[in-house]
Each structure stands twice: as C-alpha cells, then as structure tokens.
Amino acid sequence: MHQHTDTQKKHARTQLSGLLPGELEEAVVRLGEKRYRAVQIFSAIHSKGVDSAEGLSQIPSALRQLISGEFEISLLRPVRTSVSELHDTQKFLFTLTRLPEVKIETVLISEKGRNTVCVSTQAGCNVGCEFCATAKLGFRANLTPGEICSQVYLVKKLSGADVTNVVYMGMGEPFLNYDSVLRSLLLLTNEKGLSLPGRRITVSTVGFRQKISKFADDISLPENSSIRKVKLALSLHSTDNGIRESLIPSSSKNRLPDIYKELVYFYRMTGTKITYEYIHFPGINDNPDDIKRLASLSRMLPCNINVIPFHPISGELNGLLAPLNLGPDPDTKKLLSNHRLNDLIASLRDQKVVVNLRNSSGVDINAACGQLALAGEKHLSETH
Ligand code: SF4
C-alpha cells in the first residue's frame, strides 16, 4: 500500500480560509460544535487576519485543537519586504506553506488616500507575454482561494495599512485559475469578513474566449451579489491582432473581435465600465492608426483607458524600447518622461478619449506592472 509522508498528509488537509461561511458552519457542526462558532472563526480569519490556531482565541481550546488537526490554517510565509525609495510602494515575497519551494510576490501601492493590494493568482505563468517578467518563470502552481486572500490579510498585517482596494494584476493570469479567483472574490467581499466592496476590486485578464462571458454570468448570479460590481480590466496593449499576438501569444486563439463581443456582454450584464490597460511600446502601438482604433474602441462601450509606461524587465530592454534611443541603461526618469508617451496621450485626448497615465509605482524594486519575477530588486530596504 502506498505510504503517505507527513508532508503529503499535511498538504491534503483542507485550507480553513478557503471555506465560505456555510461550508465552515457544516465543518464546525461535524466537529460537534455549535454553528455560531463558524462566524467567529470566519471573522477572525477574514476580518482580523488570524492565520494560526492559537490566534483563534475566541473559541474553546478543544475546538482549536480539532481544527488545527483537520485544517491547514497558515498558508503563506513572509520572506521579505522591499520598500521603494521613489514611491509609497512595497513588495512582499511569500512562500507557500504547502509547497515551500514555491514563491510569489504581492505589491502594496499607497497613493491618493488608497491602499491597493496587487495580488498574484498563480506562481509564475505560462501565457508567455513578451513584456512580462513573470512569463520568464514559467508556470509553477495555481494559488488556492485561501492563498489569494491571505496575501491581502498578510500585507495588511505587515504594513499596518488599511486596505481599500484589491487588484488581481500580480503574477499569473486570473482566468487560468478561474474557480479559485471567483471563490477568493466571494471571500474578500463577504460581510462577515473583510467586507471589501466589490466595486473596489479589479480583475485583469489578457482575455480568454468564453471566460469573460462566464465571469459576467457568474458575478451576476443572485447568490453572488457581493461581487456583482467587481471591475474587469483587459490587458489590451494593441488593437491590431497581429501585433497583439507578438506581445501576448494566447491572443492568436483569443482574437480581439471575439474578446470585444464578450466585453459588450460583460457590460450588458453588469453595467460596469471596462478598463483597458495599454502598455506603451514606442513605435509599436503608438502610430496614427493605433490612435484611431483606440478612439473608436473607446466609443464602443463606457470605458477607461490606462496608458502605462513600459518597465524594462531587470537588465533587459527586450528590444521593445529600441525606438527611443535611450542608450543601454536608461534611468527611470528618462523612461517615464519620453516624448512619444506624452504625444500618445495628447493625441488620444485630442480625439476626446478619456485616458489616464498610470504611474510606475515601485519601478525601482521591480514591483511595477510586468516586473514581478521574484528577484532583481535594486535600492531596497529589507524588513524581513
Ligand atoms: Fe502571465 Fe499576465 Fe505576465 Fe502575460 S502579463 S505572462 S498573462 S502574468
């Protein structure tokens, strides 16, 4: 007979923080306890960030023991915090308790009175986007709902920040770990836990056919009313499918006309504006035709367009910045103030397109968009 090691047994245990209140109630009753204990446990984990059996101080010690025997409670181990010297941004490195060799990163961006946690949904990613440091890691693991939520609770605890917003824009493609992402949204917005308003959460995808429409259907279900107003962002980066394919390989099978149809459906079902993320690649997606197509896209549906400066992946400019002639090692300031970026934004505004320039929070600690790759921090202060 196959012998399980202790570690394997441990891995097989259910993660306590992944259970919704009804499921937790069933588990508590099964352990011979009163239902109301489930609410105490749920709120300790999801509202107070308790991640150990000892921390469940409101419940009797006999129940604590039963729970710690049956469930996995502590899901992530903090390894390091990197603090930006340029922006109010911190990056957190965690390992997964169930797979200690697997690491993930989470970012906290504090600006304009908001504390936004950017969570990872996968360790690594296999989509292979040309501009993304996570792609270079390949795929390592899908995160569980509890591991996604724990990033928010641990960042809150480690930084002392009151989390106001969550964006699913860290490592991984959320729609390739769909069920865990959906459940994590239900957990984060549950009124007995953190109770984060759905409209303060954004899920960002490169776009997969049938996933956007499924997401629209799922968040519109009456039982999922807490996540009905969750926002959707499409990593667009080019309105030309050929160019987009060279940047995002999965777009050869998920072509823009099909993605646009699903976005229309999403808007019809939820009434929520779409956000388009548009990393500026000079000479590649800032030509007059790009501007015309972006302008007409912006009239298709109520939307926001976020233009993001391209952040070179540490030590590599991937040729994507070559048209700027910035030399081999341009500094951040040069990258962010280049005239082609300003011209792109001005041309879009001339066409009455509502466009925001997203700044590069945490670029010095490789915490900005597309830079999460578990290494290569510069200028960082380590707190762990
Ligand atoms: Fe994956 Fe997103 Fe990076 Fe593309 S941009 S490789 S989908 S993490």
Side-chain angles (χ1 to χ4, degrees):
M1 204 164 99
H2 182 70
Q3 294 268 309
H4 284 285
T5 63
D6 280 355
T7 332
Q8 281 172 321
K9 270 189 209 155
K10 210 171 151 198
H11 293 167
R13 287 189 304 172
T14 304
Q15 298 184 340
L16 193 63
S17 57
L19 298 182
L20 289 161
E23 295 164 338
L24 197 50
E25 228 177 75
E26 276 173 30
V28 165
V29 169
R30 191 165 32 83
L31 294 173
E33 271 289 342
K34 300 254 176 351
R35 281 176 196 283
Y36 74 92
R37 295 290 184 199
V39 179
Q40 289 176 323
I41 298 169
F42 189 88
S43 130
I45 294 172
H46 296 278
S47 170
K48 302 195 180 76
V50 168
D51 67 349
S52 66
E54 307 78 67
L56 295 169
S57 52
Q58 278 179 304
I59 62 170
S61 66
L63 178 57
R64 272 211 299 270
Q65 265 180 12
L66 284 174
I67 282 181
S68 72
E70 185 139 337
F71 295 99
E72 192 86 45
I73 304 177
S74 170
L75 306 187
L76 300 178
R77 194 174 69 79
V79 177
R80 184 172 62 213
T81 303
S82 312
V83 181
S84 168
E85 291 176 359
L86 301 177
H87 307 102
D88 206 349
T89 299
Q90 300 177 49
K91 183 170 77 169
F92 302 84
L93 178 69
F94 299 110
T95 54
L96 308 189
T97 310
R98 65 186 165 103
L99 298 167
E101 70 286 1
V102 174
K103 298 186 179 73
I104 56 163
E105 290 178 328
T106 310
V107 179
L108 170 67
I109 303 153
S110 302
E111 59 181 2
K112 299 180 191 151
R114 286 192 203 165
N115 294 309
T116 303
V117 179
C118 175
V119 293
S120 293
T121 53
Q122 299 181 305
C125 182
N126 64 5
V127 177
C129 299
E130 184 62 22
F131 50 86
C132 172
T134 307
K136 315 280 175 219
L137 299 172
F139 173 78
R140 295 189 183 172
N142 273 329
L143 301 191
T144 62
E147 287 160 350
I148 297 171
C149 295
S150 294
Q151 294 171 62
V152 178
Y153 309 151
L154 275 168
V155 164
K156 192 171 176 224
K157 199 188 278 182
L158 293 168
S159 66
D162 192 14
V163 175
T164 58
N165 296 68
V166 172
V167 292
Y168 285 61
M169 295 184 185
M171 302 172 97
E173 161 54 51
F175 282 175
L176 293 183
N177 187 15
Y178 185 89
D179 292 344
S180 290
V181 164
L182 194 72
R183 179 172 277 250
S184 69
L185 291 169
L186 291 168
L187 291 163
L188 289 173
T189 54
N190 192 286
E191 59 183 10
K192 298 185 181 86
L194 188 65
S195 196
L196 199 64
R199 64 177 191 290
R200 302 248 190 97
I201 304 179
T202 303
V203 175
S204 175
T205 177
V206 294
F208 288 90
R209 282 169 52 214
Q210 288 161 21
K211 287 283 169 61
I212 294 173
S213 49
K214 176 167 172 45
F215 189 57
D217 288 339
D218 286 341
I219 68 176
S220 303
L221 290 171
E223 63 269 33
N224 292 343
S225 61
S226 68
I227 58 173
R228 176 129 210 266
K229 287 291 161 192
V230 166
K231 293 180 184 154
L232 182 70
L234 177 73
S235 293
L236 179 65
H237 311 320
S238 175
T239 47
D240 176 299
N241 212 78
I243 291 174
R244 197 164 182 265
E245 261 176 54
S246 67
L247 297 168
I248 306 172
S250 61
S251 51
S252 60
K253 292 203 180 104
N254 298 279
R255 298 181 62 77
L256 282 171
D258 299 320
I259 299 298
Y260 291 155
K261 271 186 211 150
E262 297 205 23
L263 292 178
V264 171
Y265 182 75
F266 180 90
Y267 179 72
R268 248 199 285 133
M269 291 295 285
T270 65
T272 302
K273 270 189 196 178
I274 306 293
T275 298
Y276 297 106
E277 307 287 352
Y278 200 84
I279 299 179
H280 174 224
F281 299 111
I284 295 174
N285 63 358
D286 60 354
N287 299 311
D289 282 346
D290 295 305
I291 291 158
K292 262 192 236 152
R293 283 193 301 263
L294 263 181
S296 82
L297 179 63
S298 79
R299 289 188 268 277
M300 179 179 85
L301 283 173
C303 67
N304 296 311
I305 298 180
N306 290 338
V307 173
I308 307 160
F310 173 58
H311 305 115
I313 300 165
S314 56
E316 291 179 44
L317 290 182
N318 330 20
L320 289 169
L321 288 177
L324 290 180
N325 294 322
L326 295 175
D329 191 17
D331 66 15
T332 307
K333 214 166 140 203
K334 266 195 198 161
L335 284 165
L336 303 186
S337 60
N338 77 77
H339 67 94
R340 292 194 70 139
L341 179 64
N342 296 332
D343 290 352
L344 170 67
I345 289 171
S347 311
L348 286 168
R349 288 191 176 143
D350 281 351
Q351 300 262 342
K352 310 266 180 293
V353 178
V354 180
V355 52
N356 312 302
L357 174 61
R358 273 235 327 254
N359 76 20
S360 301
S361 296
V363 69
D364 58 327
I365 53 169
N366 288 330
C369 183
Q371 287 191 309
L372 299 184
L374 308 173
E377 299 90 342
K378 290 184 275 178
H379 315 298
L380 53 84
S381 333
E382 295 194 352
T383 55
H384 291 272

